[in-house]
Amino acid sequence: MKLSEDLTFKLDKTFVESYRSVPVDWGAVGEITFLRTYSRDGEEWFETVARVVNGCYTWQKQHCIDEGRPWSDEQAQRSAKEMYCLMHAFKFLPPGRGLRNMGCDVLTKTGAAANNCGYISTEDDPFDA
């Protein structure tokens, strides 16, 4: 499923660019881990955070519209900027698969790439004899 342009959420470009030169407190091996595991196509941290936030808010916008719930682009910009600031400073992060895949085309086809775990009961397994 390809989202139409009007359902795609994008953080204000000027806001995102203002983080280009903000230092990142990587710790001992943080940057190596980020570049190896979560960066896509040479993204810098400020770009990865924007991709993830944009992906989250695009899904939320799509859900609100599909369910006939209210959506405000202005309110979304405010709260998405707050999310961006908190993520950029490592106050919280999504799970690894979310950090790697959120905001990518793979998630417009299925949400499986963002799913960290699953559960199925084997209580009534017909093959368990």
Side-chain angles (χ1 to χ4, degrees):
M1 171 184 96
K2 183 87 171 148
L3 293 173
S4 66
E5 194 63 34
D6 63 326
L7 294 181
T8 302
F9 177 87
K10 293 285 186 195
L11 277 163
D12 176 69
K13 289 180 183 182
T14 305
F15 171 81
V16 173
E17 278 297 318
S18 74
Y19 275 81
R20 179 183 290 276
S21 60
V22 173
V24 180
D25 185 14
W26 288 114
V29 295
E31 187 171 20
I32 294 166
T33 303
F34 161 70
L35 292 170
R36 179 201 69 202
T37 311
Y38 305 113
S39 175
R40 288 187 161 269
D41 302 319
E43 284 175 331
E44 294 181 46
W45 179 240
F46 81 99
E47 295 167 312
T48 299
V49 175
R51 172 177 50 79
V52 171
V53 172
N54 288 338
C56 288
Y57 276 79
T58 295
W59 271 16
Q60 184 179 19
K61 183 176 183 177
Q62 176 72 56
H63 174 74
C64 287
I65 291 169
D66 287 351
E67 297 295 319
R69 297 181 180 187
W71 175 264
S72 166
D73 285 324
E74 295 79 22
Q75 182 179 354
Q77 276 295 323
R78 285 191 302 276
S79 63
K81 286 176 182 178
E82 181 180 1
M83 180 180 177
Y84 184 99
C85 294
L86 292 169
M87 281 184 62
H88 192 279
F90 300 113
K91 300 294 182 186
F92 89 92
L93 293 174
R97 288 183 187 206
L99 197 57
R100 172 71 178 158
N101 297 316
M102 186 56 72
C104 296
D105 287 341
V106 67
L107 292 180
T108 61
K109 296 175 181 72
T110 174
N115 189 17
N116 273 343
C117 60
Y119 165 81
I120 186 167
S121 173
T122 59
E123 183 177 338
D124 298 321
D125 186 354
F127 300 107
D128 186 24

